[in-house]
Amino acid sequence: MAHDLRGSSAVVGVGLAGCGEAHGKLPLDILAEATHNALDDAGLKLSDVDGIFTGSSYHFMPGLSTAEYLGIKPRFTDTTMVGGSSFVAHTLNAAMALKTGLCDVALVCYGSNQRTAGGKLATMSEQQIYEVPYKPRYPISSYALAAARHMHEYGTTREQMADVAVAARQWAKLNPSAFARDDLSREDVLNSRMISDPLSLLDCCLVTDGGGAVIMVPSERAKDFPNKPIYLLGTGTAQWHRQITQMPDLTTTAALDSGKRAFAMAGLTKDDVDVVELYDAFTINTILFLEDLGFCAKGEGGAFVADGNIAPGGGLPVNTNGGGLSCVHPGMYGIFILIEAIQQLRGDCGERQIADSEVALVNGNGGVLSSQVTSILGTEAVL
Amino acid sequence: MSSDNTENLGSGPDLTYQAHLNKKELFLPKCLVCNEFHFYPRVVCPHCGSFDLEWQALSGRGEVYSTTVIRRKPERGGNYNVCLVTLKEGPRMMSRIDGIPAEDVKIGDKVTASIINNDGECHVIFSPSQEA
Ligand SMILES: [Zn+2]
């Protein structure tokens, strides 16, 4: 029997703003512009929004700050904070709130000025007192330790990781709004400055500004709006640790669980998926998540991503906007993978459009491979 | 024996851990139900949920589980190692390997703990074990 939440809500509007550089803007300015664009897209007004789902590294009480800025008095607010995966997690909470009538129009939103504010990762995070004495560089050292272990256990190579960055760049070159669109070769990645072995500069995501917003409504109303509705078929969340020291096995992420949960709710398998959007904060992420989500066996992710298999024209389209590596990455990237998946399913992606996309998988990552949230979205054809 | 040692060292697990380090001892809570050690020290066993714990000494022997070299300009102190060490008794901790170049630390290396005092705060670091 289908899960009660399967297909119970739909995305009817998306908006981006300030991606790249948004000089002079504060995080909430960018969030509000993205919200404006999403509302326009859906044919709605701010006064229609009665549910807010948001997260921030800038605001201790982001639900309060966001609603105040936008001048709305939401009936329902959720600020679940699982790092960059938060916005993917918000889709599940929004679906629950919409299904139970706690709100009628849910706004999932984010904005950040990380690049123009100086490039530093804004954080209200507490210090990890058992790690800090050894001066790890956050977050890269944690991902470097995972990459080193994956290389050790499975023979994954720096060349294979470089191919993740090259594939992302090739997608970005098809996306006029991507931030980094210059030519990029495997050698460029291998020869870039080493930061925390085995990860070099071009194994790391961009630092940009940017904001995104997604409008969700109950599916019964989904056809009252101008766009083709995109249905939320399933979301699964999982978390196994907070600090890298506590990750049970550095080669396996909690996406193993979040993926299974999302597929179970959606009643689909990986063979049904047409397009995949993964949180690629570092090149190793893409490899780990493809394995843990079942697109290839554990240990075979390196071979799977090599030689253009996830690039345009390859076997599986992954990170079609150019990813956090080449499109946009303003601190917490989760909302952007969601928006790219929705745009692919709507058929709005121009040169990078994957033909006949009916099912998209999104996997958000938060912390240091800590929180994993998988969402599966689809068109009416798979409802 | 451990309870005698810890009674006057403060009540919380972090204070107890630090107090042992200050005496150049590596102690961690061991669960009296599932017999597993855990790190970082808590008031509950994360393996089984028991609150029945006892502080016990560790051997200080371990193995490098993963390792990275953090690149830093020579004028700012040069490259340094950050690694994860799995202790013989099970728990894993972040640390660094002293005594060999950062680049030479390899996964699987056998290492031995020592406790250093850094501006009044004691930390566990490791160096390559002498015997195989
Ligand atoms: Zn126990």
Side-chain angles (χ1 to χ4, degrees), chain A residues 129-131 133-137 141 144-145 148-149 152-153 194-197 243-250, chain B residues 14 17 39-42 65-72 80 82-84 92-96 107 123-125:
Chain A
I129 58 174
Y130 298 103
E131 295 188 355
Y134 307 103
K135 303 195 196 77
R137 210 167 277 167
S141 306
L145 289 164
R149 186 73 200 181
H152 173 80
E153 283 194 31
M194 190 58 78
I195 310 272
S196 183
D197 298 48
Q243 321 168 56
I244 201 68
T245 317
Q246 303 295 317
M247 185 168 176
D249 169 354
L250 260 67
Chain B
D14 181 54
Y17 176 68
F39 182 83
Y40 51 97
R42 301 153 162 97
Y65 176 71
S66 194
T67 181
T68 183
V69 181
I70 300 192
R71 303 298 185 112
R72 190 171 58 177
Y80 62 97
V82 169
C83 64
L84 299 178
R92 189 180 299 151
M93 61 197 303
M94 184 171 282
S95 190
R96 69 166 187 270
I107 292 174
H123 306 304
V124 180
I125 58 152

